C-alpha cells in the first residue's frame, strides 16, 4: 500500500483525494496549513498521521479542521487518524466524524475549538462503531467531546478532557456508547452529561474539579440504563457539587466508586429503578452517599429500598423489596404477580 508524506507547498487535500483506499499519509513537519482550504475532508478508508510534536494550526475563520465522511454505509476498515495535534484556532470543531463507521482516532489532541474539540455528528446517517483511543481535548471554549443524535456503539478509551469551558463529554440521544479509563478534570460544566441516551457506561475514570458552572460532576438526564462504575470522583474546589445526578431517568446504576469533596455522591431526582449499590462505594472523607432521593423504586443491589409497598406494584414475579412498615410489617417482601408478600409473615401487603 502506498505511503506518502505531505511536505511544504503541497496540498494535504489533494494528496488525500489522489490516494487509494488503504494508503498511509503522513503530514510532514514542513507542511503549510495555508495551502489548503479548510476543512480538510477524508472520504475514503486510509491512515492519516503526523509525527510527534508536529502541531497543525487551523487557519482563522475556518469552520472545522478535519471531516471524516464515508457516506454512512461503509464496512470495515474505516478511516484512522493517528497522532494529530490540532490547534483549532477558534474553529467550531477540531475533528468531526459524520456518516462514517468503524473509524479509529488514536492519540489525537484538539485545543482551542469554539464549540467541540471532537464531534461525532448526525448528518445523513448516524456515526456508528467508532473508537477513540488516548485522545485529548484541552482548553476548548465549548465541550471536549460531543456525541450527537443517535450515535451508536461509540467508545472512548483512555481519553482525557481537561480545562474545557463546557463539558468534558456530552453524549446526546445516543445508544450503547461509553467511556473507559482516562480522566476529566477542571471542565467548566459537568465532566459527563448523559442527555437522553440509552445504555451509556462510564468505567474506571478519574473525575476531579469539574462543574464550576453546574451542580454535579456527572449528570444523567432523561436517559435509560446508564452505568457509572469503578471511578474516582472528587469535587476538589467544587465541594458543594454532587458526584452523580440522576434526573428523570430509568434503570441507571452506580457502583464501586471512591469519592470525596462533594455535597453527596448521588442525587436521585424523579428517576425510577436507580440502583445505588451502597456497600460497594468507599468515601475518602465525610461525604454522604445520597442526600436527595425523590425517585421511585430506588434500589440497593437490585432490591427496592424501604418504601410503603402498598403504594407501588412490582414489575415481575419474584421481584424483591423492603417494606418500610407504614402498611404491614417492616421487612423483605416478594412480588407474586398481583401482590407483595411479606417473607416473614406470609401475609399480603
Amino acid at each position: 500500500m502506498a505511503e506518502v508524506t505531505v511536505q511544504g507547498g503541497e496540498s494535504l487535500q489533494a494528496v488525500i483525494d489522489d490516494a487509494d483506499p488503504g494508503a498511509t499519509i503522513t503530514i510532514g513537519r514542513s507542511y503549510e496549513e495555508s495551502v489548503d482550504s479548510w476543512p480538510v475532508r477524508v472520504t475514503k478508508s486510509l491512515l492519516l498521521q503526523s509525527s510527534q510534536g508536529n502541531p497543525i494550526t487551523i487557519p482563522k475563520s475556518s469552520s472545522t479542521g478535519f471531516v471524516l465522511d464515508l457516506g454512512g454505509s461503509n464496512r470495515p476498515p474505516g478511516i484512522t487518524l493517528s497522532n494529530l495535534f490540532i490547534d483549532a484556532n477558534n474553529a467550531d470543531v477540531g475533528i468531526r466524524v459524520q456518516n462514517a463507521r468503524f473509524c479509529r482516532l488514536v492519540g489525537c489532541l484538539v485545543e482551542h475549538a469554539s464549540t467541540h474539540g471532537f464531534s461525532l455528528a448526525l448528518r445523513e446517517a448516524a456515526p456508528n462503531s467508532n473508537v477513540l483511543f488516548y485522545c485529548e481535548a484541552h482548553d476548548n471554549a465549548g465541550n471536549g467531546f460531543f456525541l450527537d443524535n443517535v450515535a451508536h456503539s461509540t467508545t472512548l478509551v483512555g481519553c482525557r478532557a481537561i480545562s474545557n469551558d463546557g463539558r468534558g463529554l456530552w453524549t446526546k440521544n445516543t445508544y450503547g456508547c461509553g467511556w473507559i479509563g482516562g480522566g476529566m478534570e477542571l471542565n467548566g460544566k459537568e465532566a459527563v452529561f448523559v442527555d437522553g441516551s440509552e445504555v451509556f457506561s462510564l468505567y474506571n475514570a478519574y473525575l476531579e474539579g469539574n462543574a464550576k458552572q453546574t451542580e454535579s460532576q456527572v449528570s444523567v438526564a432523561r436517559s435509560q440504563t446508564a452505568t457509572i462504575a469503578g471511578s474516582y470522583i472528587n469535587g476538589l474546589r467544587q465541594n458543594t457539587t454532587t458526584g452523580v445526578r440522576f434526573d428523570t431517568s430509568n434503570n441507571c446504576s452506580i457502583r464501586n466508586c471512591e469519592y470525596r469533596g462533594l455535597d453527596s455522591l448521588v442525587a436521585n431526582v424523579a428517576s425510577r429503578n436507580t440502583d445505588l449499590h451502597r456497600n460497594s462505594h468507599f468515601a475518602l472523607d465525610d461525604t454522604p452517599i445520597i442526600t436527595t432521593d425523590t425517585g421511585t423504586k430506588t434500589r440497593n443491589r437490585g432490591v427496592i429500598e424501604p418504601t410503603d409497598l402498598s403504594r407501588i406494584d412490582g414489575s415481575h414475579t419474584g421481584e424483591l423489596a423492603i417494606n418500610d412498615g407504614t402498611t404491614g410489617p417492616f421487612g423483605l417482601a416478594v412480588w407474586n404477580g398481583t401482590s407483595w408478600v411479606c417473607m416473614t409473615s406470609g401475609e399480603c401487603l
Side-chain angles (χ1 to χ4, degrees):
M1 295 182 182
E3 296 186 11
V4 181
T5 298
V6 183
Q7 304 288 6
E10 297 180 326
S11 166
L12 175 58
Q13 186 68 73
V15 172
I16 291 171
D17 292 345
D18 290 344
D20 293 326
T24 296
I25 298 173
T26 301
I27 301 172
R29 292 183 180 276
S30 62
Y31 168 68
E32 303 165 47
E33 296 90 341
S34 60
V35 172
D36 282 295
S37 297
W38 293 80
V40 168
R41 298 181 179 273
V42 185
T43 58
K44 61 189 73 172
S45 175
L46 50 76
L47 167 60
L48 177 62
Q49 63 184 7
S50 182
S51 56
Q52 191 76 27
N54 182 27
I56 300 163
T57 301
I58 310 304
K60 279 193 174 296
S61 303
S62 302
S63 63
T64 306
F66 291 86
V67 175
L68 282 56
D69 190 329
L70 291 172
S73 59
N74 63 289
R75 301 299 305 160
I79 299 163
T80 298
L81 298 188
S82 179
N83 205 33
L84 299 190
F85 181 168
I86 300 169
D87 181 347
N89 199 16
N90 209 42
D92 289 343
V93 177
I95 298 174
R96 184 171 73 233
V97 180
Q98 62 184 42
N99 303 323
R101 303 188 295 182
F102 309 110
C103 294
R104 296 191 305 163
L105 277 60
V106 183
C108 295
L109 183 150
V110 177
E111 61 184 11
H112 305 146
S114 64
T115 306
H116 311 298
F118 296 80
S119 174
L120 280 78
L122 173 65
R123 292 298 186 262
E124 290 79 15
N128 191 338
S129 302
N130 299 293
V131 184
L132 286 73
F133 294 100
Y134 313 116
C135 291
E136 299 187 67
H138 295 178
D139 299 298
N140 295 288
N143 307 294
F145 299 86
F146 180 56
L147 309 184
D148 200 359
N149 284 337
V150 299
H152 284 60
S153 306
T154 296
T155 305
L156 298 91
V157 180
C159 295
R160 299 176 75 232
I162 310 294
S163 297
N164 300 287
D165 289 348
R167 300 170 173 113
L169 170 66
W170 182 4
T171 174
K172 180 181 179 183
N173 301 330
T174 63
Y175 299 86
C177 296
W179 178 292
I180 303 171
M184 287 166 270
E185 301 173 55
L186 306 176
N187 296 288
K189 296 184 179 179
E190 299 95 340
V192 183
F193 182 33
V194 184
D195 182 10
S197 297
E198 297 189 29
V199 197
F200 174 83
S201 57
L202 174 69
Y203 294 139
N204 308 123
Y206 184 97
L207 313 179
E208 185 172 79
N210 301 284
K212 287 177 282 188
Q213 305 167 36
T214 54
E215 59 187 348
S216 59
Q217 299 291 310
V218 176
S219 179
V220 179
R222 302 173 298 279
S223 296
Q224 185 159 289
T225 318
T227 300
I228 316 297
S231 294
Y232 172 80
I233 307 175
N234 182 4
L236 200 62
R237 288 181 291 275
Q238 315 310 319
N239 58 9
T240 61
T241 61
T242 299
V244 180
R245 178 184 173 91
F246 297 108
D247 192 344
T248 325
S249 296
N250 181 47
N251 196 42
C252 298
S253 66
I254 178 170
R255 65 178 188 271
N256 296 101
C257 291
E258 279 196 0
Y259 60 98
R260 70 194 320 162
L262 301 164
D263 175 66
S264 65
L265 175 61
V266 179
N268 191 44
V269 180
S271 296
R272 292 176 56 84
N273 299 301
T274 302
D275 201 327
L276 301 177
H277 292 270
R278 287 178 181 266
N279 293 338
S280 72
H281 306 293
F282 186 76
L284 298 170
D285 59 12
D286 59 356
T287 300
I289 289 181
I290 187 168
T291 56
T292 300
D293 187 1
T294 60
T296 304
K297 289 189 174 182
T298 304
R299 299 171 184 269
N300 183 30
R301 297 176 63 91
V303 179
I304 298 172
E305 295 202 320
T307 189
D308 182 359
L309 294 182
S310 68
R311 300 169 61 90
I312 63 172
D313 289 337
S315 58
H316 61 272
T317 300
E319 184 174 23
L320 296 175
I322 297 174
N323 189 46
D324 67 3
T326 301
T327 304
F330 178 91
L332 191 63
V334 61
W335 181 254
N336 68 3
T338 57
S339 302
W340 291 105
V341 179
C342 176
M343 295 186 69
T344 56
S345 68
E347 66 181 284
C348 292
L349 302 176

